[in-house]
Amino acid sequence: MKPLADPLEFVRENTAVERPPLVPEIALHLASEVVPLWQATEEKLSELGLPPPYWAFAWAGGQGLARYLLDHPELVAGRRVLDFASGSGIAAIAAAKAGASQVTASEIDAFALAACRLNADLNAVALTVTGDDLVGDPGTAWDVVLAGDVCYERPMAQAVFAWLSTMARGGKTVLLGDPGRSYLPREGMERVTAYSVKTSRDLEDSDLRNAVVWRVLDHSN
């Protein structure tokens, strides 16, 4: 694995095209056992000037969201969708495939943005990709907001959930995909559905995770 100035080139050269087990309809550039990025430690990546490659894995929460949208396209068909902290872009791509009128994938990592662009091309869908930090945005540009696997650190989980709750109070449909992360809020949501997702013990503490799709509730009334 070599450091590259161009994130698009880095993603192409350090991933393999695979299909996540829960969402085989979608192809993604992912790290796997056959590419060096899979074995790279955070220390090694830091030496190369690279952030941890969260975008290179199809996390269970994102897979759950994507599966739910593909199975229930009426939730996003003809609507404007934001996929927050999009990672690989899997939920954004699913929304586009389900007929959303416009889909925005947001990420603050340049390599994740590159992965979203390449994965959109792989799946022949159009995404608007932005590197802006959208937490606090009033959300007037979207009707549906998606967030997968955003509850793995307390400060982020608290800030993001407060924002998502504000979006729900503003009339947005807000869906959160999570496989039981430590800082998942205990209230303010209703469980929609769940999926068993095959994963790797190199990434998770189990070969199988329970990916739950939650709807963030509007408590304004």
Side-chain angles (χ1 to χ4, degrees), residues 16 18 30-39 57 199-202:
E18 298 187 352
L30 298 175
S32 72
E33 293 89 338
V34 301
V35 295
L37 189 61
W38 177 270
Q39 300 294 342
F57 305 98
T199 185
S200 166
R201 286 186 179 271
D202 288 332

Side-chain angles (χ1 to χ4, degrees), residues 201-212:
R201 286 186 179 271
D202 288 332
L203 298 177
E204 304 279 10
D205 56 3
S206 172
D207 296 323
L208 201 67
R209 293 303 300 259
N210 189 45
V212 179

Side-chain angles (χ1 to χ4, degrees), residues 54 70 102 165:
Y54 298 123
L70 291 177
Q102 194 271 340
S165 297

Side-chain angles (χ1 to χ4, degrees), residues 138-171:
T140 55
W142 309 294
D143 308 304
V144 179
V145 180
L146 311 172
D149 283 286
V150 294
C151 297
Y152 53 87
E153 293 180 349
R154 188 190 300 275
M156 179 177 181
Q158 291 176 338
V160 170
F161 189 73
W163 173 59
L164 294 178
S165 297
T166 299
M167 302 281 269
R169 288 194 296 272

Side-chain angles (χ1 to χ4, degrees), residues 26 28 55 83 85-95 105 107 112 115-116 119-120 127:
I26 294 176
L28 299 171
W55 53 266
D83 182 25
S86 192
S88 66
I90 186 171
I93 292 165
E107 263 293 350
C116 285
N119 290 333
L127 300 181

Side-chain angles (χ1 to χ4, degrees), residues 18-106:
E18 298 187 352
R19 293 181 179 272
L22 189 64
V23 199
E25 299 95 325
I26 294 176
L28 299 171
H29 288 271
L30 298 175
S32 72
E33 293 89 338
V34 301
V35 295
L37 189 61
W38 177 270
Q39 300 294 342
T41 64
E42 199 162 325
E43 181 180 1
K44 177 63 175 177
L45 291 168
S46 179
E47 290 175 3
L48 298 174
L50 302 173
Y54 298 123
W55 53 266
F57 305 98
W59 300 99
Q63 287 196 56
L65 278 176
R67 181 74 270 153
Y68 185 61
L69 296 180
L70 291 177
D71 290 346
H72 301 276
E74 68 278 3
L75 292 170
V76 294
R79 305 179 77 188
R80 302 166 302 165
V81 177
L82 168 67
D83 182 25
F84 174 76
S86 192
S88 66
I90 186 171
I93 292 165
K97 283 180 171 287
S101 61
Q102 194 271 340
V103 182
T104 299
S106 77

